[in-house]
Amino acid sequence: MKRGYQESPSTSLGPPQSRARHDPQGGAHFLEDESTKNFARKVADHYSARSNQTLEEREASPIIHLKKLNNWIKSVLIQLYARRGDAVLDLACGKGGDLIKWDKAKIGYYVGIDIAEGSVRLDKVLADDAPFDICSCQFALHYSWSTEARARQALANVSALLRPGGIFIGTMPDANVIVKKLKEAEGLTFGNSVYWVRFDEEFSEKKFKSSSPFGIKYTFHLEDAVDCPEWIVPFHVFKSLAEEYDFELVFAKNSHEFVHEYMKKPEFVELMRRLGALGDGNQDHSTLSADEWEAAYLYMSFVLRKRGQPDKSQQGSRRDRGSMHISEEDIMYITDN
């Protein structure tokens, strides 16, 4: 998407050097059923069709404070783990909404990639850009959990592209909360004024086989955001699978726990205030409605570290690439030819 600046005292003048790539076709490195492909296309079309909203239109969203809270969580993760000069891979980057967060962290190199059908072998596509110091996948990793093959490919991609000692940060639905709320619900649907979750009749007994942790589908609706199928990611299975790809867990926190912990730090209180997600009081979620705060409970954050020690000779080699601004030639369309 962009190629940015060489490191200098005036780093606030422009974005980090960066590239973004979009894959309209996806890869064919493992088989996917037609419904999965149609779903991926639907989600891609949904976000592509969203018009650029004015500030007034954004502020009028019924979940504006939830969006601001989620932006705060992503900002805190970036501030905690990104270091000056890092090479960053931003998976499911959309239209680059997090670029300003990375810019403020003074990273050295950025690649954002958004794939319509997520089976492509990114280690081959991004061979010239790797290794990365940090990878981010925000509110998207659970879409790979429709099959074991897709889940494994996602983790294999990240592991292959991260340097030893590199960090993988992300956010996704909290499976424990979703299953707990389902079991407490009278039927197969639960929610409030801003969201609802519905499971199909096949889960009428509200039991999930530990032998089949992939492909547990539900429909998720969030006002002014998304309305599509998603998949449960049992975190103990995610952690175990990640370990197979050389990752170790640093932490995993539900969004409520995350807010309570990091709002104890003055710099993050001030960040939340600047983002407009905190009112005049000092309560953790004073501007969120009760329904938005309940919706926030559906999500969690995680941090993984790739095993091994970094090779310092590989760092900093990309800082002198690129120009200040994005242009058409900075966008590469990845096809399955």
Side-chain angles (χ1 to χ4, degrees):
M1 186 180 290
K2 298 184 180 177
R3 300 176 189 267
Y5 57 84
Q6 300 178 24
E7 208 167 11
S8 70
S10 57
T11 51
S12 63
L13 294 177
Q17 48 187 319
S18 52
R19 301 165 71 183
R21 302 179 176 191
H22 174 65
D23 177 11
Q25 302 296 331
H29 299 281
F30 53 81
L31 296 176
E32 297 181 274
D33 58 60
E34 205 53 41
S35 64
T36 300
K37 290 184 177 182
N38 289 338
F39 155 73
R41 225 170 269 121
K42 176 183 174 184
V43 172
D45 291 344
H46 167 77
Y47 284 106
S48 295
R50 287 177 71 92
S51 60
N52 292 322
Q53 293 180 306
T54 65
L55 178 60
E56 290 76 15
E57 288 171 333
R58 289 198 299 271
E59 289 292 325
S61 169
I63 59 164
I64 183 59
H65 298 300
L66 176 61
K67 290 179 178 179
K68 290 177 178 179
L69 179 70
N70 288 337
N71 271 321
W72 176 82
I73 289 173
K74 290 188 289 183
S75 295
V76 171
L77 283 171
I78 290 169
Q79 289 193 21
L80 287 172
Y81 291 98
R83 299 166 308 172
R84 188 184 190 98
D86 272 355
V88 172
L89 174 61
D90 190 2
L91 292 176
C93 66
K95 296 180 179 180
D98 290 338
L99 268 170
I100 192 169
K101 301 178 183 68
W102 294 110
D103 184 35
K104 288 181 177 178
K106 294 181 171 57
I107 62 166
Y109 187 67
Y110 174 96
V111 174
I113 188 162
D114 200 79
I115 304 174
E117 296 168 19
S119 59
V120 71
R121 285 288 302 277
L122 294 184
D123 57 329
K124 305 297 184 186
V125 173
L126 301 179
D128 292 341
D129 301 286
F132 293 92
D133 301 297
I134 185 167
C135 175
S136 172
C137 186
Q138 303 298 333
F139 299 100
L141 191 63
H142 54 295
Y143 294 118
S144 71
W145 220 257
S146 56
T147 67
E148 182 175 355
R150 286 175 63 88
R152 285 185 175 277
Q153 187 68 74
L155 288 168
N157 279 334
V158 176
S159 183
L161 291 163
L162 273 180
R163 63 166 173 78
I167 295 292
F168 181 22
I169 62 174
T171 45
M172 64 183 177
D174 188 329
N176 289 335
V177 171
I178 292 172
V179 171
K180 175 176 177 287
K181 283 185 170 290
L182 173 64
K183 291 183 175 180
E184 292 173 348
E186 290 187 10
L188 294 172
T189 302
F190 60 88
N192 59 34
S193 69
V194 299
Y195 86 91
W196 54 257
V197 170
R198 182 177 65 239
F199 285 80
D200 291 338
E201 285 296 326
E202 65 178 298
F203 301 113
S204 58
E205 294 185 5
K206 302 183 180 181
K207 294 180 180 178
F208 304 97
K209 296 179 181 178
S210 58
S211 59
S212 304
F214 304 94
I216 304 172
K217 187 170 73 171
Y218 59 93
T219 302
F220 179 61
H221 169 82
L222 182 63
E223 290 291 313
D224 193 40
V226 69
D227 192 349
C228 65
E230 298 189 350
W231 287 268
I232 289 286
V233 183
F235 194 79
H236 67 286
V237 180
F238 172 73
K239 178 176 178 289
S240 177
L241 204 63
E243 288 172 349
E244 292 186 35
Y245 293 93
D246 293 328
F247 286 110
E248 55 189 11
L249 181 66
V250 177
F251 79 65
K253 300 180 192 296
N254 179 274
S255 289
H256 281 195
E257 180 188 2
F258 190 99
V259 171
H260 291 315
E261 178 170 342
Y262 290 104
M263 281 296 286
K264 294 175 182 176
K265 299 181 182 295
E267 66 269 30
F268 296 139
V269 174
E270 179 56 30
L271 173 62
M272 187 176 278
R273 198 179 303 281
R274 289 200 308 272
L275 289 172
L278 186 67
D280 293 332
N282 283 317
Q283 290 142 12
D284 291 344
H285 52 94
S286 59
T287 61
L288 271 77
S289 66
D291 284 357
E292 286 176 288
W293 183 237
E294 182 186 334
Y297 188 44
L298 299 177
Y299 295 100
M300 63 171 295
S301 306
F302 65 86
V303 178
L304 303 175
R305 178 180 287 110
K306 187 176 175 182
R307 295 189 186 94
Q309 296 299 316
D311 179 358
K312 294 183 179 180
S313 67
Q314 293 180 319
Q315 294 177 285
S317 61
R318 292 170 291 271
R319 296 183 195 179
D320 59 351
R321 290 192 197 171
S323 58
M324 285 290 288
H325 301 292
I326 184 172
S327 62
E328 283 296 321
E329 57 265 26
D330 290 323
I331 300 176
M332 174 183 292
Y333 289 88
I334 304 165
T335 62
D336 194 33
N337 296 332

